[in-house]
Coordinates of all heavy atoms in Angstrom, one line a residue:
M907 N 14.7 -124.8 98.4 CA 15.9 -125.4 97.8 C 15.6 -126.9 97.4 O 15.1 -127.6 98.3 CB 17.0 -125.3 98.7 CG 18.1 -124.6 98.3 SD 19.5 -125.0 99.3 CE 20.5 -123.7 99.2
T908 N 15.9 -127.2 96.3 CA 15.7 -128.6 95.9 C 17.0 -129.4 96.1 O 18.1 -128.9 96.0 CB 15.4 -128.7 94.4 OG1 16.5 -128.1 93.6 CG2 14.1 -127.9 94.1
P909 N 16.8 -130.7 96.5 CA 18.0 -131.5 96.8 C 18.7 -131.7 95.5 O 18.1 -131.8 94.4 CB 17.4 -132.8 97.3 CG 16.0 -132.8 96.9 CD 15.5 -131.4 96.8
R910 N 20.0 -131.8 95.6 CA 20.9 -132.0 94.4 C 20.7 -133.5 93.9 O 20.9 -134.4 94.7 CB 22.3 -131.7 94.8 CG 23.2 -131.8 93.6 CD 24.6 -131.3 93.9 NE 25.4 -131.5 92.7 CZ 26.7 -131.5 92.7 NH1 27.4 -131.3 93.9 NH2 27.4 -131.6 91.6
R911 N 20.5 -133.6 92.7 CA 20.4 -134.9 92.1 C 21.7 -135.2 91.3 O 22.2 -134.4 90.6 CB 19.2 -135.0 91.2 CG 17.9 -134.8 92.0 CD 16.7 -134.9 91.1 NE 15.5 -134.5 91.7 CZ 14.7 -135.2 92.4 NH1 14.9 -136.5 92.5 NH2 13.6 -134.7 93.0
F912 N 22.1 -136.5 91.5 CA 23.3 -136.9 90.8 C 23.0 -137.7 89.5 O 21.9 -138.3 89.5 CB 24.2 -137.7 91.7 CG 24.7 -137.0 92.9 CD1 24.1 -137.2 94.1 CD2 25.8 -136.1 92.8 CE1 24.6 -136.5 95.2 CE2 26.2 -135.4 93.9 CZ 25.6 -135.6 95.1
L913 N 23.8 -137.6 88.6 CA 23.6 -138.4 87.4 C 23.8 -139.9 87.7 O 24.4 -140.2 88.7 CB 24.5 -138.0 86.3 CG 24.3 -136.5 85.8 CD1 25.4 -136.2 84.8 CD2 23.0 -136.4 85.2
P914 N 23.4 -140.8 86.9 CA 23.5 -142.2 87.3 C 24.9 -142.7 87.6 O 25.2 -143.5 88.5 CB 22.9 -143.0 86.1 CG 22.1 -142.0 85.4 CD 22.6 -140.6 85.7
G915 N 26.0 -142.2 86.9 CA 27.3 -142.6 87.2 C 28.1 -141.7 88.1 O 29.2 -141.9 88.5
Q916 N 27.4 -140.7 88.6 CA 28.1 -139.7 89.4 C 27.8 -139.9 90.9 O 26.7 -140.2 91.3 CB 27.6 -138.3 89.0 CG 28.3 -137.1 89.7 CD 27.8 -135.8 89.2 OE1 26.7 -135.7 88.7 NE2 28.5 -134.8 89.5
R917 N 28.8 -139.8 91.8 CA 28.6 -140.0 93.2 C 29.1 -138.7 93.9 O 29.9 -137.9 93.4 CB 29.4 -141.2 93.7 CG 28.8 -142.5 93.3 CD 29.4 -143.6 94.0 NE 30.8 -143.9 93.4 CZ 31.7 -144.5 94.0 NH1 31.5 -145.0 95.2 NH2 32.9 -144.7 93.4
S918 N 28.7 -138.6 95.1 CA 29.1 -137.4 96.0 C 30.6 -137.7 96.4 O 31.0 -138.8 96.6 CB 28.3 -137.3 97.2 OG 28.8 -136.4 98.1
A919 N 31.3 -136.6 96.5 CA 32.7 -136.7 96.9 C 32.9 -136.7 98.4 O 34.0 -136.9 98.9 CB 33.5 -135.5 96.3
L920 N 31.8 -136.5 99.1 CA 31.8 -136.4 100.6 C 32.3 -137.7 101.2 O 33.2 -137.6 102.1 CB 30.4 -136.0 101.1 CG 30.4 -135.8 102.6 CD1 31.3 -134.6 103.0 CD2 28.9 -135.5 103.0
P921 N 31.8 -138.9 100.8 CA 32.4 -140.1 101.5 C 33.9 -140.3 101.2 O 34.6 -140.7 102.1 CB 31.6 -141.2 100.8 CG 30.3 -140.6 100.4 CD 30.7 -139.2 100.0
L922 N 34.3 -140.0 100.0 CA 35.7 -140.1 99.8 C 36.5 -139.1 100.6 O 37.6 -139.4 101.2 CB 36.0 -139.8 98.3 CG 37.5 -139.9 97.8 CD1 38.0 -141.2 98.0 CD2 37.6 -139.4 96.4
L923 N 36.1 -137.9 100.7 CA 36.7 -136.9 101.5 C 36.8 -137.2 103.0 O 37.8 -137.1 103.6 CB 36.0 -135.5 101.3 CG 36.6 -134.3 102.1 CD1 38.0 -134.0 101.6 CD2 35.7 -133.1 102.0
L924 N 35.7 -137.8 103.5 CA 35.6 -138.2 104.9 C 36.6 -139.4 105.2 O 37.2 -139.4 106.2 CB 34.2 -138.6 105.3 CG 33.3 -137.4 105.5 CD1 31.9 -137.8 105.8 CD2 33.8 -136.4 106.5
S925 N 36.7 -140.3 104.2 CA 37.6 -141.5 104.4 C 39.0 -141.0 104.4 O 39.9 -141.5 105.1 CB 37.3 -142.5 103.4 OG 37.6 -142.1 102.1
V926 N 39.4 -140.1 103.5 CA 40.8 -139.6 103.5 C 41.1 -138.8 104.7 O 42.1 -139.0 105.3 CB 41.0 -138.7 102.2 CG1 42.3 -137.9 102.3 CG2 40.9 -139.5 101.0
L927 N 40.1 -138.0 105.2 CA 40.4 -137.2 106.4 C 40.5 -138.2 107.6 O 41.4 -138.0 108.5 CB 39.2 -136.3 106.7 CG 39.3 -135.4 107.9 CD1 40.5 -134.4 107.8 CD2 38.0 -134.6 108.1
L928 N 39.7 -139.2 107.7 CA 39.8 -140.1 108.8 C 41.1 -140.9 108.8 O 41.7 -141.1 109.8 CB 38.6 -141.1 108.7 CG 38.5 -142.1 109.9 CD1 38.3 -141.4 111.2 CD2 37.4 -143.1 109.6
S929 N 41.5 -141.3 107.6 CA 42.8 -142.0 107.5 C 44.0 -141.1 107.9 O 45.0 -141.6 108.6 CB 43.0 -142.6 106.1 OG 43.2 -141.6 105.2
V930 N 43.9 -139.9 107.6 CA 45.0 -138.9 108.0 C 45.0 -138.8 109.5 O 46.1 -138.8 110.1 CB 44.9 -137.6 107.2 CG1 45.8 -136.5 107.8 CG2 45.2 -137.8 105.8
L931 N 43.8 -138.6 110.1 CA 43.8 -138.4 111.5 C 44.2 -139.7 112.3 O 44.9 -139.6 113.3 CB 42.3 -138.1 111.9 CG 41.9 -136.7 111.5 CD1 40.4 -136.5 111.9 CD2 42.7 -135.6 112.2
L932 N 43.9 -140.8 111.8 CA 44.3 -142.1 112.4 C 45.8 -142.3 112.2 O 46.4 -143.0 113.1 CB 43.5 -143.2 111.9 CG 42.0 -143.2 112.4 CD1 41.3 -144.4 111.8 CD2 41.9 -143.3 113.9
S933 N 46.4 -141.9 111.2 CA 47.8 -142.1 111.0 C 48.6 -141.3 112.0 O 49.7 -141.6 112.3 CB 48.2 -141.7 109.5 OG 48.1 -140.3 109.3
G934 N 48.1 -140.2 112.4 CA 48.7 -139.4 113.5 C 48.8 -140.1 114.8 O 49.7 -139.9 115.6
C935 N 47.9 -141.0 115.1 CA 47.9 -141.8 116.3 C 49.0 -142.8 116.2 O 49.5 -143.2 117.3 CB 46.6 -142.5 116.5 SG 45.2 -141.3 116.8
A936 N 49.3 -143.3 115.1 CA 50.3 -144.4 114.9 C 51.7 -143.8 114.7 O 52.7 -144.6 114.6 CB 49.9 -145.3 113.8
A937 N 51.9 -142.5 114.6 CA 53.2 -141.9 114.3 C 54.2 -142.1 115.4 O 55.4 -142.2 115.2 CB 53.0 -140.4 114.0
G938 N 53.8 -142.3 116.6 CA 54.7 -142.4 117.8 C 55.2 -143.8 117.9 O 56.2 -144.1 118.6
R939 N 54.7 -144.8 117.2 CA 55.1 -146.2 117.3 C 56.3 -146.4 116.2 O 56.0 -146.7 115.1 CB 54.0 -147.1 117.0 CG 52.9 -147.0 118.1 CD 52.1 -148.2 118.1 NE 51.1 -148.2 119.1 CZ 51.3 -148.8 120.3 NH1 52.3 -149.5 120.5 NH2 50.4 -148.7 121.2
T940 N 57.5 -146.3 116.7 CA 58.6 -146.6 115.9 C 59.3 -147.8 116.5 O 59.0 -148.2 117.6 CB 59.6 -145.4 115.8 OG1 60.1 -145.1 117.1 CG2 58.9 -144.2 115.2
Q941 N 60.3 -148.3 115.8 CA 61.0 -149.5 116.3 C 61.8 -149.2 117.5 O 61.9 -150.0 118.4 CB 62.0 -150.0 115.2 CG 62.7 -151.3 115.5 CD 63.6 -151.7 114.4 OE1 63.8 -151.0 113.5 NE2 64.1 -152.9 114.5
Q942 N 62.3 -147.9 117.6 CA 63.1 -147.6 118.8 C 62.2 -147.3 120.0 O 62.6 -147.7 121.1 CB 63.9 -146.3 118.5 CG 64.9 -146.0 119.5 CD 65.7 -144.8 119.0 OE1 65.2 -143.8 118.5 NE2 67.0 -144.8 119.2
S943 N 61.0 -146.7 119.9 CA 60.2 -146.4 121.0 C 59.0 -147.3 121.1 O 58.0 -147.0 121.8 CB 59.8 -145.0 121.0 OG 58.9 -144.8 119.9
G944 N 59.0 -148.5 120.5 CA 57.9 -149.4 120.5 C 57.8 -150.1 121.8 O 58.5 -149.9 122.8
A945 N 56.8 -151.0 121.9 CA 56.6 -151.7 123.1 C 57.8 -152.6 123.4 O 58.3 -153.3 122.5 CB 55.3 -152.6 123.0
G946 N 58.3 -152.6 124.6 CA 59.4 -153.4 125.0 C 60.7 -152.8 124.8 O 61.7 -153.3 125.4
A947 N 60.9 -151.8 124.0 CA 62.2 -151.2 123.8 C 62.4 -150.0 124.8 O 61.5 -149.2 124.9 CB 62.3 -150.7 122.4
A948 N 63.5 -150.0 125.4 CA 63.8 -148.9 126.3 C 64.2 -147.6 125.5 O 65.0 -147.7 124.6 CB 64.9 -149.3 127.3
P949 N 63.7 -146.5 125.9 CA 64.1 -145.2 125.2 C 65.6 -144.9 125.5 O 66.1 -145.3 126.5 CB 63.2 -144.2 125.7 CG 62.7 -144.7 127.0 CD 62.7 -146.2 126.9
L950 N 66.2 -144.2 124.6 CA 67.6 -143.8 124.8 C 67.6 -142.9 126.0 O 66.7 -142.1 126.3 CB 68.1 -143.1 123.6 CG 68.3 -143.9 122.3 CD1 68.7 -143.0 121.2 CD2 69.3 -145.0 122.6
P951 N 68.7 -142.9 126.8 CA 68.8 -142.0 127.9 C 68.8 -140.5 127.5 O 69.5 -140.1 126.7 CB 70.2 -142.3 128.6 CG 70.5 -143.7 128.0 CD 69.9 -143.8 126.7
F952 N 67.9 -139.8 128.2 CA 67.7 -138.4 127.8 C 68.9 -137.6 128.3 O 69.4 -137.7 129.4 CB 66.4 -137.9 128.5 CG 66.1 -136.5 128.2 CD1 65.6 -136.1 127.0 CD2 66.4 -135.5 129.1 CE1 65.3 -134.8 126.7 CE2 66.1 -134.2 128.8 CZ 65.6 -133.8 127.6
G953 N 69.5 -136.8 127.4 CA 70.6 -136.0 127.7 C 72.0 -136.7 127.7 O 73.0 -136.1 128.0
E954 N 72.0 -137.9 127.2 CA 73.3 -138.6 127.2 C 74.3 -138.0 126.2 O 75.5 -137.9 126.5 CB 73.1 -140.1 126.8 CG 74.3 -141.0 126.8 CD 74.8 -141.1 128.3 OE1 74.0 -141.1 129.2 OE2 76.0 -141.3 128.4
A955 N 73.8 -137.5 125.1 CA 74.7 -136.8 124.1 C 75.3 -135.5 124.7 O 76.5 -135.2 124.5 CB 74.0 -136.5 122.8
T956 N 74.5 -134.8 125.5 CA 75.0 -133.6 126.1 C 76.0 -133.9 127.1 O 77.1 -133.2 127.2 CB 73.8 -132.8 126.7 OG1 72.8 -132.6 125.7 CG2 74.3 -131.5 127.3
R957 N 75.8 -134.9 128.0 CA 76.8 -135.2 129.0 C 78.1 -135.7 128.4 O 79.2 -135.4 128.8 CB 76.2 -136.3 129.9 CG 75.2 -135.7 130.9 CD 74.8 -136.7 132.0 NE 74.0 -137.8 131.4 CZ 72.6 -137.7 131.3 NH1 72.0 -136.6 131.7 NH2 72.0 -138.7 130.8
A958 N 78.0 -136.5 127.3 CA 79.2 -137.0 126.6 C 80.0 -135.8 126.0 O 81.2 -135.8 126.1 CB 78.8 -138.0 125.5
T959 N 79.3 -134.9 125.4 CA 80.0 -133.7 124.8 C 80.7 -132.9 125.9 O 81.8 -132.4 125.7 CB 79.0 -132.9 124.0 OG1 78.4 -133.7 123.0 CG2 79.7 -131.7 123.3
L960 N 80.0 -132.7 127.0 CA 80.6 -132.0 128.1 C 81.8 -132.7 128.7 O 82.8 -132.0 129.0 CB 79.6 -131.8 129.2 CG 80.0 -131.0 130.4 CD1 80.4 -129.5 130.0 CD2 78.9 -131.0 131.5
A961 N 81.8 -134.0 128.8 CA 82.9 -134.7 129.3 C 84.1 -134.7 128.3 O 85.2 -134.7 128.8 CB 82.5 -136.2 129.5
L962 N 83.8 -134.6 127.0 CA 84.9 -134.5 126.1 C 85.6 -133.1 126.1 O 86.8 -133.0 125.7 CB 84.4 -134.7 124.7 CG 84.0 -136.2 124.4 CD1 83.4 -136.3 123.0 CD2 85.2 -137.1 124.5
Q963 N 85.0 -132.1 126.7 CA 85.6 -130.8 126.8 C 86.6 -130.6 128.0 O 87.3 -129.7 128.0 CB 84.5 -129.7 126.9 CG 83.7 -129.6 125.6 CD 82.6 -128.6 125.8 OE1 82.6 -127.8 126.7 NE2 81.7 -128.5 124.9
I964 N 86.5 -131.6 128.9 CA 87.4 -131.5 130.0 C 88.7 -132.2 129.7 O 88.7 -133.4 129.4 CB 86.7 -132.2 131.3 CG1 85.4 -131.4 131.6 CG2 87.7 -132.1 132.5 CD1 84.6 -132.0 132.6
A965 N 89.8 -131.5 129.7 CA 91.1 -132.1 129.3 C 91.6 -133.1 130.4 O 92.0 -134.2 130.0 CB 92.2 -131.0 129.2
N966 N 91.5 -132.8 131.6 CA 92.0 -133.7 132.7 C 91.1 -133.6 133.9 O 91.2 -132.7 134.7 CB 93.5 -133.4 133.1 CG 94.0 -134.4 134.1 OD1 93.3 -135.4 134.5 ND2 95.2 -134.2 134.5
P967 N 90.1 -134.5 134.0 CA 89.1 -134.4 135.1 C 89.8 -134.4 136.5 O 89.2 -133.9 137.5 CB 88.2 -135.5 134.9 CG 88.4 -136.0 133.5 CD 89.8 -135.6 133.1
D968 N 90.9 -135.1 136.6 CA 91.6 -135.3 137.9 C 92.7 -134.2 138.2 O 93.5 -134.4 139.1 CB 92.1 -136.7 138.0 CG 91.1 -137.7 138.1 OD1 90.0 -137.4 138.6 OD2 91.3 -138.8 137.6
A969 N 92.7 -133.1 137.4 CA 93.8 -132.2 137.5 C 93.8 -131.6 138.9 O 94.9 -131.4 139.5 CB 93.6 -131.1 136.5
A970 N 92.7 -131.2 139.5 CA 92.7 -130.6 140.8 C 93.2 -131.5 141.9 O 94.0 -131.2 142.8 CB 91.3 -130.1 141.1
R971 N 92.7 -132.8 141.8 CA 93.2 -133.8 142.8 C 94.6 -134.1 142.7 O 95.4 -134.2 143.7 CB 92.3 -135.1 142.6 CG 92.5 -136.1 143.7 CD 91.6 -137.3 143.5 NE 90.3 -136.9 143.2 CZ 89.6 -137.4 142.2 NH1 90.2 -138.3 141.3 NH2 88.4 -137.1 142.0
Q972 N 95.2 -134.2 141.4 CA 96.6 -134.5 141.2 C 97.4 -133.3 141.7 O 98.5 -133.5 142.3 CB 96.8 -134.8 139.8 CG 96.2 -136.1 139.3 CD 96.3 -136.2 137.8 OE1 96.7 -135.3 137.1 NE2 95.9 -137.4 137.3
A973 N 97.0 -132.1 141.4 CA 97.8 -130.9 141.8 C 97.8 -130.8 143.4 O 98.8 -130.4 144.0 CB 97.2 -129.6 141.2
H974 N 96.6 -131.1 144.0 CA 96.6 -131.1 145.5 C 97.5 -132.1 146.1 O 98.1 -131.8 147.1 CB 95.1 -131.3 145.9 CG 94.9 -131.2 147.4 ND1 95.1 -130.0 148.1 CD2 94.7 -132.2 148.3 CE1 94.9 -130.3 149.4 NE2 94.6 -131.6 149.5
A975 N 97.6 -133.3 145.4 CA 98.5 -134.3 146.0 C 99.9 -133.9 145.9 O 100.8 -134.3 146.7 CB 98.2 -135.6 145.2
R976 N 100.3 -133.1 144.8 CA 101.6 -132.6 144.7 C 101.9 -131.3 145.5 O 103.0 -130.8 145.6 CB 101.9 -132.3 143.2 CG 102.0 -133.5 142.3 CD 102.5 -133.1 140.9 NE 101.8 -132.0 140.3 CZ 100.8 -132.1 139.4 NH1 100.5 -133.3 139.0 NH2 100.2 -131.1 138.9
G977 N 100.9 -130.8 146.1 CA 101.0 -129.6 146.9 C 101.0 -128.4 146.1 O 101.5 -127.3 146.5
Q978 N 100.5 -128.4 144.9 CA 100.4 -127.3 144.0 C 99.0 -126.9 143.8 O 98.0 -127.6 144.0 CB 101.0 -127.6 142.6 CG 102.5 -128.0 142.7 CD 103.0 -128.6 141.4 OE1 102.2 -128.9 140.5 NE2 104.3 -128.6 141.2
A979 N 98.8 -125.7 143.3 CA 97.5 -125.2 142.8 C 97.2 -125.7 141.4 O 98.2 -125.9 140.6 CB 97.4 -123.7 142.9
A980 N 96.0 -125.9 141.1 CA 95.6 -126.3 139.7 C 96.0 -125.2 138.7 O 95.9 -124.0 139.1 CB 94.2 -126.7 139.6
A981 N 96.4 -125.6 137.6 CA 96.8 -124.6 136.6 C 95.6 -123.8 136.1 O 94.5 -124.4 136.0 CB 97.5 -125.3 135.4
G982 N 95.8 -122.6 135.9 CA 94.7 -121.7 135.5 C 94.9 -120.3 136.0 O 96.0 -119.9 136.2
M983 N 93.8 -119.6 136.1 CA 93.8 -118.2 136.5 C 94.0 -118.1 138.0 O 93.4 -118.8 138.8 CB 92.5 -117.5 136.1 CG 92.5 -116.1 136.2 SD 91.0 -115.3 135.6 CE 91.1 -115.6 133.8
D984 N 94.8 -117.2 138.5 CA 95.0 -117.0 139.9 C 93.7 -116.3 140.5 O 92.9 -115.7 139.7 CB 96.3 -116.2 140.3 CG 96.2 -114.8 139.7 OD1 95.6 -114.5 138.7 OD2 96.8 -113.9 140.4
G985 N 93.6 -116.3 141.8 CA 92.4 -115.7 142.4 C 92.1 -114.3 142.2 O 91.0 -113.9 141.9
G986 N 93.2 -113.4 142.2 CA 93.0 -112.0 142.0 C 92.5 -111.7 140.6 O 91.6 -110.9 140.4
A987 N 93.1 -112.3 139.6 CA 92.7 -112.1 138.3 C 91.3 -112.6 138.0 O 90.5 -111.9 137.3 CB 93.7 -112.7 137.3
A988 N 91.0 -113.7 138.6 CA 89.6 -114.2 138.4 C 88.6 -113.3 139.1 O 87.5 -113.1 138.5 CB 89.5 -115.6 139.0
A989 N 88.9 -112.8 140.2 CA 88.0 -111.9 140.9 C 87.8 -110.6 140.1 O 86.7 -110.0 140.0 CB 88.5 -111.5 142.3
H990 N 88.9 -110.1 139.5 CA 88.8 -108.9 138.7 C 88.0 -109.1 137.4 O 87.1 -108.3 137.1 CB 90.2 -108.4 138.3 CG 90.2 -107.1 137.6 ND1 89.9 -105.9 138.1 CD2 90.6 -106.9 136.3 CE1 90.0 -105.0 137.2 NE2 90.4 -105.5 136.1
A991 N 88.2 -110.2 136.8 CA 87.4 -110.6 135.6 C 85.9 -110.7 135.9 O 85.0 -110.3 135.2 CB 87.9 -111.8 135.0
Q992 N 85.6 -111.4 137.0 CA 84.2 -111.6 137.4 C 83.6 -110.2 137.8 O 82.4 -110.0 137.5 CB 84.2 -112.5 138.6 CG 82.8 -113.1 138.9 CD 82.0 -112.3 139.9 OE1 82.6 -111.5 140.7 NE2 80.7 -112.5 140.0
G993 N 84.3 -109.3 138.4 CA 83.8 -108.0 138.7 C 83.5 -107.2 137.4 O 82.5 -106.5 137.3
R994 N 84.4 -107.3 136.4 CA 84.1 -106.6 135.2 C 82.9 -107.2 134.5 O 82.1 -106.4 133.9 CB 85.4 -106.7 134.2 CG 86.5 -105.8 134.5 CD 87.5 -105.8 133.4 NE 87.6 -107.1 132.8 CZ 88.8 -107.7 132.7 NH1 89.9 -107.3 133.2 NH2 88.8 -108.9 132.1
Y995 N 82.8 -108.5 134.6 CA 81.6 -109.1 134.0 C 80.3 -108.6 134.6 O 79.3 -108.3 133.9 CB 81.7 -110.6 134.1 CG 80.5 -111.4 133.6 CD1 80.3 -111.6 132.3 CD2 79.7 -112.0 134.5 CE1 79.2 -112.3 131.8 CE2 78.6 -112.7 134.1 CZ 78.3 -112.9 132.8 OH 77.2 -113.6 132.4
Q996 N 80.3 -108.6 135.9 CA 79.1 -108.1 136.6 C 78.8 -106.6 136.3 O 77.7 -106.2 136.2 CB 79.2 -108.3 138.1 CG 79.2 -109.7 138.6 CD 77.9 -110.4 138.3 OE1 76.9 -109.8 138.3 NE2 78.0 -111.7 138.0
K997 N 79.9 -105.8 136.2 CA 79.7 -104.4 135.9 C 79.2 -104.1 134.5 O 78.5 -103.1 134.3 CB 81.1 -103.7 136.1 CG 81.0 -102.2 136.0 CD 82.4 -101.6 136.3 CE 82.4 -100.1 136.1 NZ 83.7 -99.5 136.2
S998 N 79.5 -105.0 133.6 CA 79.0 -104.9 132.2 C 77.5 -104.9 132.2 O 76.9 -104.3 131.2 CB 79.5 -105.9 131.3 OG 78.9 -107.2 131.6
F999 N 76.8 -105.4 133.1 CA 75.3 -105.5 133.1 C 74.7 -104.2 133.7 O 73.6 -103.9 133.5 CB 74.8 -106.7 133.9 CG 75.1 -108.0 133.2 CD1 76.1 -108.8 133.6 CD2 74.5 -108.3 132.0 CE1 76.4 -110.0 133.0 CE2 74.7 -109.5 131.3 CZ 75.7 -110.3 131.8
T1000 N 75.5 -103.5 134.5 CA 75.0 -102.3 135.1 C 75.2 -101.0 134.3 O 74.5 -100.0 134.5 CB 75.6 -102.0 136.5 OG1 77.0 -101.9 136.4 CG2 75.3 -103.2 137.5
E1001 N 76.2 -101.0 133.4 CA 76.5 -99.8 132.6 C 75.5 -99.8 131.4 O 75.3 -100.8 130.8 CB 77.9 -99.9 132.1 CG 78.9 -99.7 133.2 CD 80.3 -99.9 132.6 OE1 80.5 -100.2 131.4 OE2 81.3 -99.7 133.4
A1002 N 75.0 -98.7 131.1 CA 74.1 -98.5 129.9 C 75.0 -98.5 128.7 O 76.1 -98.0 128.7 CB 73.3 -97.2 130.1
A1003 N 74.4 -99.0 127.6 CA 75.1 -99.0 126.3 C 75.1 -97.6 125.8 O 74.1 -96.9 125.9 CB 74.4 -100.0 125.4
P1004 N 76.2 -97.1 125.1 CA 76.2 -95.8 124.6 C 75.1 -95.6 123.5 O 74.9 -96.5 122.7 CB 77.6 -95.6 124.0 CG 78.1 -97.0 123.9 CD 77.4 -97.8 124.9
Q1005 N 74.4 -94.5 123.5 CA 73.4 -94.2 122.5 C 74.1 -93.9 121.2 O 75.0 -93.1 121.1 CB 72.6 -93.1 123.0 CG 71.3 -92.9 122.2 CD 70.3 -94.0 122.6 OE1 70.6 -95.0 123.0 NE2 69.0 -93.7 122.3
Q1006 N 73.6 -94.5 120.1 CA 74.2 -94.2 118.8 C 73.3 -93.2 118.1 O 72.2 -93.0 118.4 CB 74.2 -95.5 118.0 CG 75.1 -96.5 118.5 CD 75.2 -97.8 117.7 OE1 74.4 -97.9 116.8 NE2 76.1 -98.7 118.0
G1007 N 73.9 -92.6 117.1 CA 73.2 -91.6 116.3 C 72.0 -92.2 115.5 O 72.0 -93.4 115.3
S1008 N 71.1 -91.4 115.0 CA 70.0 -92.0 114.3 C 70.3 -92.5 112.9 O 69.6 -93.3 112.4 CB 68.9 -90.9 114.2 OG 69.4 -89.8 113.5
F1009 N 71.5 -92.0 112.4 CA 71.8 -92.5 111.0 C 72.9 -93.6 111.1 O 73.5 -93.9 110.0 CB 72.3 -91.3 110.2 CG 71.3 -90.3 109.9 CD1 71.2 -89.1 110.5 CD2 70.2 -90.6 109.0 CE1 70.2 -88.2 110.3 CE2 69.2 -89.7 108.8 CZ 69.2 -88.5 109.4
T1010 N 73.2 -94.1 112.2 CA 74.2 -95.2 112.3 C 73.6 -96.5 112.0 O 72.5 -96.8 112.5 CB 74.8 -95.2 113.8 OG1 75.3 -93.9 114.1 CG2 75.9 -96.2 113.9
I1011 N 74.2 -97.3 111.2 CA 73.6 -98.6 110.8 C 74.4 -99.7 111.5 O 74.1 -100.9 111.2 CB 73.6 -98.8 109.3 CG1 75.0 -98.7 108.7 CG2 72.6 -97.9 108.7 CD1 75.0 -99.1 107.2
G1012 N 75.4 -99.5 112.4 CA 76.0 -100.5 113.1 C 77.2 -101.2 112.4 O 77.4 -102.3 112.7
V1013 N 77.8 -100.6 111.5 CA 78.9 -101.2 110.8 C 80.3 -100.6 111.2 O 81.3 -101.0 110.6 CB 78.8 -101.2 109.3 CG1 77.6 -102.0 108.9 CG2 78.6 -99.8 108.8
S1014 N 80.3 -99.7 112.1 CA 81.5 -99.0 112.4 C 82.5 -99.8 113.2 O 83.7 -99.6 113.2 CB 81.3 -97.6 113.1 OG 80.7 -97.9 114.4
G1015 N 81.9 -100.7 114.0 CA 82.8 -101.6 114.9 C 83.1 -100.9 116.2 O 83.7 -101.5 117.1
A1016 N 82.7 -99.6 116.4 CA 83.0 -99.0 117.7 C 82.0 -99.4 118.7 O 80.9 -99.7 118.5 CB 82.9 -97.4 117.5
K1017 N 82.5 -99.5 120.0 CA 81.6 -99.9 121.1 C 80.9 -98.7 121.7 O 81.3 -97.8 122.2 CB 82.4 -100.7 122.1 CG 82.6 -102.1 121.6 CD 83.1 -103.0 122.7 CE 83.0 -104.4 122.3 NZ 83.3 -105.3 123.4

């Protein structure tokens, strides 16, 4: 095989390709340096948005304490109904789902 000879004004594309590849690889190293997570900046607290959303879903966090101070039970489901609902929930995992026919496509709405 003879070595490839270039014309006087023609150069190999290999150095250009290597320099582009090297710059892309090095830019990946600098991607983590943002203004928010740079040196000296404290990162935002992990999970703060989740905790704030959860806190907004609670109507009255002191409801149990206030009801206990009045000598009442907290408003909600009574113990018997809660136990029955929890039992039905647990039983739903032990019962097998009914087998559907081979031509059913699941639009009937029947359980």
Side-chain angles (χ1 to χ4, degrees):
M907 240 194 204
T908 61
R910 184 171 178 199
R911 297 183 192 265
F912 298 102
L913 297 174
Q916 187 181 17
R917 289 189 283 162
S918 172
L920 186 61
L922 178 64
L923 180 64
L924 288 177
S925 64
V926 168
L927 181 64
L928 184 63
S929 65
V930 168
L931 288 175
L932 289 177
S933 69
C935 296
R939 296 200 177 257
T940 61
Q941 185 178 10
Q942 192 176 39
S943 64
L950 293 175
F952 183 75
E954 186 64 30
T956 304
R957 284 189 288 274
T959 304
L960 182 63
L962 289 173
Q963 293 178 11
I964 300 172
N966 184 2
D968 293 329
R971 189 176 313 125
Q972 291 170 356
H974 181 70
R976 290 190 307 259
Q978 300 172 341
M983 193 178 290
D984 66 325
H990 184 66
Q992 195 266 344
R994 280 193 325 241
Y995 174 75
Q996 292 295 331
K997 187 178 176 186
S998 71
F999 293 106
T1000 59
E1001 294 175 354
Q1005 195 72 339
Q1006 295 182 349
S1008 61
F1009 294 109
T1010 305
I1011 59 172
V1013 295
S1014 67
K1017 283 192 168 188

